Amino acid sequence: MSQNVLRRRRLQISNPAEMSTPRKQKFCEKGICLFVILVAVVAGIVAVCVVTLTDKNLRQRVPSPPRLEWWKTTIIYQIYPRSFQDSNGDGTGDLKGVTKRLDYLQELGVGTLWLSPFYMSPMRDFGYDVQNYTQVDPLFGTMDDFDVLMKEAKKRGLRVLVDFVPNHTSNESSWFNNSRHSIGKYRDYYIWDDGVNCSTCPDTNFKMPPNDWKSAFRGSAWTYDDNRKQFYYHAYLDSQPDLNASNPDVRQELKNVLRFWLEKGVDGFRGDAIRKLFEFEDVHRNENGVLNLTRNLPGVYPVMREWKHFLDKYSHGKGQEKILIAESYGITNEMRDAYYEVDSIPFNFAFVQKLNPSCKARCIKQIIETSLDGLKEEWWPNFVLGSHDVSRIASRMGDSFVNVLNILLLTVPGTPTTYYGEEIGMKDTFYTYSESRDPAGLNYKEDYLKYSRDPGRSPMQWDSSTNAGFSNGTPWLHVNLNYPVLNVEEQLSKETSTLNIYKSLAKLRQLPSFTNKNIIFSTVNDDIISYVRSESGHPKYLVVLNVGSRDSVVDCRGPPLGVSSAQVVLAAGSSLLGISSYRMGDIADLQAIRLKYAEGVIFKI
Ligand code: GLC
């Protein structure tokens, strides 16, 4: 008799519709019908009580994690629009190009896009010198292109943050033009000073800057303006005069900028150069290289509060919260806390600033601990690995380490920020001096390689076609020569590629065990760092990363886990060689977790 027939027979026999009537009759005939019903009712009541109690206990034991605000469970993906995707063949990426790649971003699993400036600008600092905050520079497209981008992003459930540049404008903005001519309220929109007489010059009436403050891009931070016969202050280029944030009119002007983009439906802002918003009032004091008169002055916080309050007017309930992130290099935990106190989010650049090839397992552990140390219950951490201002991870830490560092970024508590191209492990690109475009490098002439940010801004590598699929024209910076082998298309087809590992991580980190602030370190030796992420009532996850320069072995059976084996849910080899000795689904012995250098594994317990 075939299996199917057997199954059917069994099904027939257990079909209650076919057998209920004769049986019932038989029981009742024996006079026990009433008794059976009684027993059934009592049993039912008892069962309901037991289930309810157990369920209640269960619910008490397993608190479901509170529903978190959207920005706590998302990944922020930074797009430098010039370098992401060109749609019209002019060699510069644009808004239509971003829209074209939204499906890719959705599949990647990043929930939020942060767009670096695409506003009207003379492009001396590639858009961070804004001429008009509420217009799209034709190089990037039109306002209609932005509206389409927003609509298409929303359709895919993607959030959009835009850059907000309140510290300075372009010297070609109408505000600055009015200020240089001392017109009305614009007179005090910037920081002006008469300067001092040069006592050692042949002409002692010759004017010198009022102090020794330096521009981040070399030289004095003061430039003399012939119209106004005064110096103006600029923390960056002389074509980026600093706004006077103490002036309420300026702050109102900037609020209008926020309003404009909020009404366009953006989900928040990344505030540029926030730590430089204020300078010491007495401009006749020198810094003597200490940089304590031009950075992180306490005036920053009330202004952030003012802007965040303004954003809150547009936060219409759960899921609609608007966020304000601060670019905040070199801050202490005290300053970090001050940003949180005013309800803004200070970017945590600890990985950017402290990760280097000699910062191994214990050093990374310390970075994480310091970053989380002292955070109040309601303050949510974040980690950043790269940006348009620094060298790429593959170049900073070595080609092999992209996978382990992406695992680290996406499995530590808090919101991660990924710079475009890091999901495939793009490398810095070499540019000769004449090919270079970044003023920060060009100003340093023969030393340009030390300061140029161009290497980390090369065009996104989509495929192996001409210019890596970035542009049909001549790219503003040429693509990295490694693009025929290192590109999105190639990596999509390989299961163990850096890109596919990133995608798996993006999914994994949605689990409740990762969307909280719990982290307990397991074994950490010279090379390997391991930690446990957990949420009560959910599986625990053990993350083990070899960030050292040799193969190593650790025993993770002890606390906090106390188990001897676990299942592999993600395994990544060195991003250069690709293969891990662990395979997904394997049950592994935790007594001796052997990892080759730059290998990372996540176990489920
Ligand atoms: C920020 C930006 C950087 C820019 C500078 C001046 O630090 O990240 O790219 O050059 O501000 O706007």
Side-chain angles (χ1 to χ4, degrees), residues 204-222:
T204 49
N205 282 333
F206 185 76
K207 291 288 182 198
M208 299 280 287
N211 59 37
D212 69 347
W213 300 355
K214 296 276 177 290
S215 144
F217 296 155
R218 200 176 197 185
S220 170
W222 296 91

Side-chain angles (χ1 to χ4, degrees), residues 250-495:
V250 168
R251 295 207 301 274
Q252 182 55 45
E253 204 77 78
L254 291 165
K255 258 189 221 168
N256 295 343
V257 172
L258 295 173
R259 175 186 299 115
F260 181 87
W261 294 104
L262 286 164
E263 285 175 0
K264 290 258 163 215
V266 303
D267 297 283
F269 300 86
R270 173 268 189 186
D272 181 69
I274 296 299
R275 67 184 174 142
K276 300 198 178 170
L277 274 181
F278 286 89
E279 297 74 35
F280 195 67
E281 234 171 286
D282 177 6
V283 295
H284 294 274
R285 281 264 297 273
N286 283 336
E287 275 194 321
N288 298 317
V290 184
L291 306 177
N292 58 350
L293 303 180
T294 53
R295 285 165 205 206
N296 297 313
L297 296 190
V300 165
Y301 312 114
V303 173
M304 289 299 273
R305 185 194 296 279
E306 191 181 318
W307 286 331
K308 180 58 177 35
H309 273 174
F310 186 72
L311 261 59
D312 289 344
K313 291 190 194 153
Y314 293 80
S315 304
H316 306 300
K318 206 74 182 161
Q320 300 301 315
E321 303 86 1
K322 307 290 180 193
I323 58 170
L324 180 58
I325 303 176
E327 187 200 20
S328 46
Y329 275 102
I331 55 169
T332 59
N333 272 12
E334 229 177 5
M335 294 170 185
R336 173 202 73 184
D337 294 353
Y339 278 107
Y340 279 121
E341 289 288 0
V342 296
D343 206 15
S344 66
I345 306 167
F347 256 153
N348 173 13
F349 291 119
F351 282 155
V352 171
Q353 297 190 291
K354 296 183 188 149
L355 266 189
N356 61 57
S358 57
C359 175
K360 304 271 195 276
R362 292 183 219 283
C363 163
I364 293 179
K365 176 176 180 248
Q366 204 187 345
I367 293 177
I368 300 169
E369 280 173 338
T370 312
S371 297
L372 303 178
D373 185 41
L375 283 183
K376 280 193 193 165
E377 179 67 26
E378 64 274 23
W379 295 345
W380 192 251
N382 75 83
F383 287 88
V384 181
L385 207 49
S387 82
H388 63 296
D389 289 330
V390 294
S391 187
R392 286 195 175 272
I393 270 297
S395 301
R396 224 176 331 140
M397 299 294 287
D399 299 39
S400 307
F401 289 93
V402 180
N403 285 342
V404 270
L405 295 174
N406 277 341
I407 300 179
L408 176 75
L409 176 72
L410 269 63
T411 60
V412 287
T415 305
T417 299
T418 289
Y419 179 52
Y420 83 92
E422 298 291 23
E423 73 275 25
I424 57 169
M426 275 174 62
K427 289 195 69 172
D428 281 355
T429 303
F430 173 78
Y431 298 104
T432 62
Y433 187 80
S434 62
E435 288 167 340
S436 295
R437 309 289 296 274
D438 178 22
L442 294 175
N443 283 353
Y444 280 89
K445 304 273 170 6
E446 58 285 353
D447 265 347
Y448 82 99
L449 283 177
K450 213 156 125 198
Y451 297 97
S452 177
R453 298 168 295 176
D454 290 329
R457 296 176 176 180
S458 62
M460 180 68 179
Q461 295 166 207
W462 295 105
D463 56 42
S464 56
S465 68
T466 318
N467 296 327
F470 163 70
S471 171
N472 298 328
T474 308
W476 74 287
L477 283 174
H478 69 70
V479 296
N480 194 301
L481 297 181
N482 65 11
Y483 82 87
V485 289
L486 200 151
N487 62 64
V488 169
E489 196 180 65
E490 171 76 14
Q491 293 200 12
L492 280 175
S493 64
K494 280 203 190 113
E495 206 187 317

